[in-house]
Each structure stands twice: as structure tokens, then as C-alpha cells.
């Protein structure tokens, strides 16, 4: 991937992350009635919201291993640098290992979150019908 394409992808990913952050903030405001937003309108809407959160969590869970793979690939391609005054290659290897291990743990937690959201969604469905 060339440098210009790489920066376009980085910018679009940053934009997507910002949109997701704004959407979840809006959801919180709506659910809590903060900021003048109306609250959630009943169990059927809670069911829909939980379903959306579950799908979002599933997509995050799928993305985390890919991020770890990308990071490792960049390491082996020599595309990652650490300034020499910060320990050089050994620091770089440790940082990549720590990051990929953290991503793996985050993926496990996100999978559990998906399961809990599915349970909550099923309970909300019982309330709405």
C-alpha cells in the first residue's frame, strides 16, 4: 500500500471511530435523557438498541485480531520505528508483543460482552411482546 493510500485509510478509520463515538454518546444521552434528549421509548426500543450494540460489539471483536495481525505484519516489514534513545529494536518488539496481547485480551472481553448483550436483548424481547 502506498503512503498516500495508507494515510487515506488511516483518516477514514479515524473518521469511522469518531462517528462510532458520537453515536454511542448520543445513545447514552438518549437513554439517560441527558442534554434535553427524550428517553428510550419502551422495551421494544431497548430490544433494538441492544441488538445494535451487540452487532457493534461483534464487529469490534472481529476487528481486534486483524489489528494485531496488521501490527505484527508492519513489524516484520520494517515499517515500525522506535527512536534509538528509547531502547531500539528490543523496545519495539516488547511494545508490539504487549499491544497484540492486549488486543487478544480485549477480543476475549468483547466476545463476552456480545454474549451478555444477547442475554439482555433476549430479556428485553420478553418484556416487549
Amino acid at each position: 500500500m502506498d503512503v498516500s493510500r495508507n494515510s487515506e485509510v488511516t483518516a477514514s478509520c479515524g473518521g469511522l471511530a469518531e462517528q462510532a463515538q458520537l453515536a454511542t454518546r448520543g445513545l447514552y444521552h438518549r437513554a439517560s435523557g441527558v442534554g434535553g434528549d427524550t428517553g428510550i421509548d419502551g422495551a421494544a426500543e431497548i430490544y433494538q438498541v441492544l441488538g445494535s450494540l451487540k452487532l457493534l460489539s461483534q464487529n469490534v471483536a472481529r476487528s481486534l485480531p486483524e489489528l494485531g495481525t496488521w501490527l505484527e505484519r508492519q513489524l516484520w516489514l520494517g515499517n515500525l520505528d522506535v527512536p534509538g534513545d528509547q531502547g531500539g529494536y528490543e523496545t519495539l518488539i516488547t511494545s508490539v508483543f504487549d499491544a497484540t496481547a492486549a488486543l487478544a485480551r480485549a477480543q476475549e472481553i468483547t466476545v463476552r460482552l456480545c454474549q451478555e448483550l444477547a442475554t439482555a436483548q433476549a430479556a428485553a424481547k420478553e418484556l416487549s411482546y
Side-chain angles (χ1 to χ4, degrees):
M1 180 180 286
D2 67 21
V3 175
S4 64
R5 175 71 179 135
N6 195 12
S7 43
E8 287 174 18
V9 169
T10 301
S12 70
C13 287
L16 289 174
E18 185 177 340
Q19 288 175 13
Q21 183 180 21
L22 290 172
T24 54
R25 187 178 300 128
L27 175 62
Y28 165 73
H29 285 191
R30 175 110 186 269
S32 64
V34 172
D37 290 331
T38 60
I40 290 179
D41 187 29
E45 192 169 9
I46 290 173
Y47 173 80
Q48 291 174 338
V49 167
L50 290 170
S52 294
L53 289 173
K54 182 179 73 172
L55 290 173
L56 174 65
S57 298
Q58 288 170 337
N59 288 328
V60 168
R62 273 194 290 277
S63 298
L64 293 173
E66 296 300 323
L67 292 172
T69 300
W70 178 88
L71 188 58
E72 290 174 352
R73 189 176 323 123
Q74 296 307 304
L75 172 68
W76 296 119
L77 292 173
N79 294 336
L80 302 176
D81 292 322
V82 171
D85 63 341
Q86 292 184 5
Y89 192 71
E90 184 176 325
T91 300
L92 178 62
I93 294 293
T94 302
S95 295
V96 169
F97 176 78
D98 290 347
T100 54
L103 288 169
R105 287 190 306 274
Q107 198 252 351
E108 291 172 13
I109 291 167
T110 306
V111 167
R112 285 197 304 267
L113 174 62
C114 292
Q115 293 167 344
E116 295 298 329
L117 287 169
T119 300
Q121 186 184 23
K125 183 178 182 179
E126 294 296 321
L127 294 174
S128 63
Y129 298 108

